[in-house]
Amino acid sequence: MAGASQQSLIGVRAQSALNIGNQPFDLTFQGRAVHITPTGVLQTGADEDSRIYISLENFETWTGMQPSTIEIAASGSAKETESLLQKLSRAIPYADVRPVRRIVEGEARVMGKTAPRC
């Protein structure tokens, strides 16, 4: 996998901690390197800001492992979110499917601060 550049989304805190700006860089896991090319910076104000996102295929090829956690970002009403949770639970019956509400709550706080007052 070394030599092949993998596109990624970099959380703003990860970018700052690594002091990389928007420049390509290498990550190493168990002696195997992957060359990362940042394609965007993510800033949510939550844990995502400290992460580096690569495709599932690239992750599995690089590490030789399958992930134990998958996060899916979805916007919508409470009813739409509940419907999505039910669909995911049916599609992956062995998975622990649950919402991460603090992201939604964080978005609501931001919207509450920026929405015009009537």
Side-chain angles (χ1 to χ4, degrees):
M1 184 147 211
S5 186
Q6 309 306 318
Q7 293 184 343
S8 68
L9 188 60
I10 308 292
V12 68
R13 286 193 305 262
Q15 181 187 41
S16 177
L18 294 171
N19 195 27
I20 56 170
N22 289 324
Q23 300 301 312
F25 61 97
D26 292 332
L27 290 176
T28 304
F29 176 78
Q30 294 185 349
R32 298 174 71 181
V34 63
H35 189 70
I36 301 291
T37 300
T39 57
V41 177
L42 179 67
Q43 184 170 10
T44 66
D47 292 341
E48 295 84 9
D49 292 358
S50 297
R51 298 179 181 152
I52 298 171
Y53 292 88
I54 63 175
S55 73
L56 176 60
E57 179 183 357
N58 290 339
F59 173 82
E60 289 175 342
T61 300
W62 173 43
T63 64
M65 302 170 73
Q66 292 186 340
S68 60
T69 302
I70 295 175
E71 291 183 11
I72 298 171
S75 296
S77 67
K79 185 176 181 178
E80 292 168 328
T81 302
E82 184 59 34
S83 175
L84 177 60
L85 291 172
Q86 290 174 3
K87 287 177 186 177
L88 288 169
S89 292
R90 284 191 302 271
I92 315 168
Y94 52 86
D96 178 17
V97 178
R98 59 185 167 195
V100 180
R101 297 204 188 275
R102 70 179 154 68
I103 294 171
V104 175
E105 291 167 0
E107 289 174 354
R109 281 193 302 272
V110 170
M111 292 305 294
K113 290 179 182 176
T114 59
R117 305 272 183 212
C118 296

